[in-house]
Amino acid sequence: AQEWALESPFVIARSRRDDATVLYVELRDGDHVGRGEGQPNSRYGQCADRDQAALNDWFSGHEGLQQALVAGDYPQTLSTAGRNALEAAWLDIEAQRASKPVWQSLGLDAPEAIQSAITVSIDTPEAMADRATRLFAGGAQTLKLKLGSDGDQDRMHKVRRAVPDATLIADANEGWTVDTAPGLLDAAADAGIAMVEQPLAAGTDAWLEAYKSPVPLCADESFSAGCDLAALARRYAMVNIKLDKFGGLRNCVEIINNLSVYELPYMLGCMLGTSLAVAPAMLLAGRAHYVDLDGPLLLRSDRRPSLLTENPYELAGCKPGLWGVGRC
């Protein structure tokens, strides 16, 4: 497990973080070194230390390790974030052995540079408007407002007045209720919010099937492995794909193929982490409706090499030496 300090506190409706604790996995085969990173999240009952212990036991006592990695036969106690980190390291080392980028091996498009949405942590309306002003002036085009507590209506309107030309999306992080959501979604529409993510707590959102939202809604916490996609499509306009949430890139490719059956577009998101965590996700960015891969943009310092570019809110499609061979 590794800790990476954040540039400023990351605050959402249910928590505050001053650093990101990530699980770093490294596989070695002669001169080849495969690396992967995931960020176990307490919202899903995950813990980096537990994942590290599970991997240590698995590596020390497992026979036929390569066959297990090929098949994705990982420790049962490993979280989805831990599986993502392990798979990423495996894909990285396989790409080096074959001298072939991961995107080619998986039949994906070559990753290209893309600008990410950037998070505005929940705070007073005035503080959020001030941060939004500074981010937009610096070149950020899409701002993601963290909401989910008293004063959200004022937050949305004050930010919109501060940055009238910015694309605004919002994330309530399960902080609204059936009673408060209708008024707040009307306020979101009035403020020109382009999309609201996870307004209700997972498990309480069946109500959305009979409600016509004035703003497109995106499922995050409600969108998990094995969920009913048909029901989800009746409640939401899109879903949030995160590699850490679904156990790795290969699973996410399969899920995206399944989404097409329901004509559900996806937002591409991430947990807090470095460029190493974001690099595999970049292979899915080109087809995403929104890209929210700002984890490394929020850190005080990033892993080297980094996907960060001269544009402070843009991520390079790949970087030689970081992950997945990196020759685009």
Side-chain angles (χ1 to χ4, degrees), residues 130-245:
D130 180 65
R131 175 162 169 77
T133 299
R134 287 184 280 109
L135 289 171
F136 188 69
Q141 299 170 2
T142 301
L143 306 179
K144 181 177 179 179
L145 311 183
K146 288 293 186 178
L147 305 174
S149 66
D150 293 343
D152 281 347
Q153 182 170 331
D154 199 19
R155 290 182 177 97
M156 290 186 280
H157 282 293
K158 275 195 166 58
V159 170
R160 172 50 75 200
R161 287 195 292 270
V163 286
D165 297 324
T167 297
L168 299 181
I169 58 178
D171 184 2
N173 283 115
E174 305 179 280
W176 297 350
T177 68
V178 170
D179 293 329
T180 62
L184 289 166
L185 288 168
D186 285 342
D190 290 341
I193 305 297
M195 177 272 284
V196 173
E197 188 178 347
Q198 200 64 42
L200 304 178
T204 71
D205 54 1
W207 171 81
L208 293 173
E209 292 187 32
Y211 171 73
K212 186 172 182 177
S213 175
V215 177
L217 303 180
C218 176
D220 183 6
E221 287 86 351
S222 290
F223 179 43
S224 57
C227 70
D228 185 344
L229 287 179
L232 214 63
R234 295 193 297 269
R235 301 169 190 177
Y236 295 94
M238 67 187 72
V239 296
N240 192 337
I241 291 270
K242 296 176 181 175
L243 271 62
D244 277 335
K245 191 166 62 170

Side-chain angles (χ1 to χ4, degrees), residues 10 59 62 87 91 93 99 107 120 145 149 183 213 241 249 253 262 282 296 300 302:
F10 184 84
F59 281 122
H62 200 286
E87 181 191 80
L91 291 173
I93 205 167
S99 296
V120 179
L145 311 183
S149 66
S213 175
I241 291 270
L249 181 60
V253 170
Y262 300 94
M282 291 295 294
R300 190 172 299 167
D302 192 16

